[in-house]
Amino acid sequence: TPKLSTGKIDLPLKQVRVTAENELMTVCEKNDENAQIAVTKYKVISSAAEYASLLELTLLTGRKHQIRVHCASGLKSPIIGDAKYGYSAESHKYISQFLAKPEKEIKLHLHSRKITFNHPITKKETIVVAPLPNHFQQTLKAFGIQIPKEDKKLEQKPINVDKKYVSGKLKEIEKIKNNNKAGNLS
């Protein structure tokens, strides 16, 4: 659980090679030549003492594994099931016992609940809401953490799609792919 209920994590990240086939993102100094600016806003929605919290995270930048690294290194609150970024074996074992599941069955508890963007064609604000996966809901229930009521009110509005327009665009993309395969870059 983070020490403060709201805040901003402003820690630059860089990619480092751990083994020949494994790379990690890590926090680095701002003056590091490979540093990428990474900023995440957070808000604690609900907590189960110091054991677990439901967070709302807002990316102000979009770096690879930014949320995972910022939770583990910036908040000292790694995401449940994230063995790659700071979720210790001891914590994993505790969560495993608490949830009465084998350690290898504990999934990553990171979920994009809601995303808002301007639609590239209509230019209208588009909100997409996804339900929490079952494993995530079960964990919240086990910790006694409730999903906020305002989150339950969100409804996904259907997007009207111009099928003729989309079909034409898909044909254009297919034509470009075929030209690229044939070596034509026009």
Side-chain angles (χ1 to χ4, degrees):
T1 296
K3 289 182 179 23
L4 300 174
S5 61
T6 62
K8 183 168 77 169
I9 307 158
D10 185 355
L11 294 172
L13 303 177
K14 73 175 182 178
Q15 194 164 7
V16 294
R17 183 163 297 285
V18 179
T19 64
E21 56 281 326
N22 191 10
E23 293 179 339
L24 289 173
M25 297 301 289
T26 186
V27 172
C28 64
E29 297 294 325
K30 289 184 180 188
N31 61 358
D32 188 299
E33 68 179 86
N34 296 314
Q36 295 179 318
I37 295 169
V39 184
T40 306
K41 286 176 31 178
Y42 73 91
K43 177 180 170 185
V44 177
I45 303 298
S46 186
S47 282
E50 72 272 4
Y51 304 109
S53 293
L54 178 62
L55 302 179
E56 176 182 301
L57 299 156
T58 304
L59 295 171
L60 301 180
T61 56
R63 305 295 176 213
K64 180 179 180 180
H65 298 180
Q66 178 177 326
I67 290 174
R68 295 168 70 183
V69 177
H70 276 177
C71 283
S73 297
L75 295 178
K76 306 294 186 230
S77 297
I79 297 168
I80 291 175
D82 192 357
K84 187 169 188 168
Y85 289 102
Y87 198 70
S88 71
E90 183 181 319
S91 297
H92 204 71
K93 192 172 188 174
Y94 165 75
I95 296 293
S96 171
Q97 290 170 352
F98 184 80
L99 297 176
K101 287 186 174 185
E103 291 179 51
K104 64 182 179 184
E105 289 182 21
I106 297 177
K107 297 178 182 178
L108 181 65
H109 284 62
L110 178 61
H111 175 67
S112 182
R113 179 81 169 120
K114 179 178 113 175
I115 186 167
T116 304
F117 60 94
N118 290 329
H119 192 279
I121 298 168
T122 67
K123 307 298 182 207
K124 291 182 182 178
E125 182 180 71
T126 304
I127 300 171
V128 180
V129 180
L132 286 170
N134 287 337
H135 76 277
F136 207 121
Q137 290 180 44
Q138 290 168 356
T139 301
L140 291 177
K141 186 176 179 181
F143 278 106
I145 295 175
Q146 297 294 315
I147 299 169
K149 289 180 181 171
E150 63 271 10
D151 210 34
K152 292 176 184 177
K153 292 179 194 172
L154 293 173
E155 292 183 21
Q156 191 171 349
K157 296 179 181 176
I159 300 171
N160 293 326
V161 178
D162 182 342
K163 292 179 183 176
K164 194 174 185 180
Y165 176 84
V166 173
S167 177
K169 286 295 180 188
L170 290 173
K171 285 178 185 174
E172 285 179 34
I173 292 168
E174 201 57 43
K175 184 178 176 183
I176 292 167
K177 281 183 182 176
N178 290 336
N179 281 341
N180 285 343
K181 285 180 185 174
N184 303 328
L185 300 175
S186 56

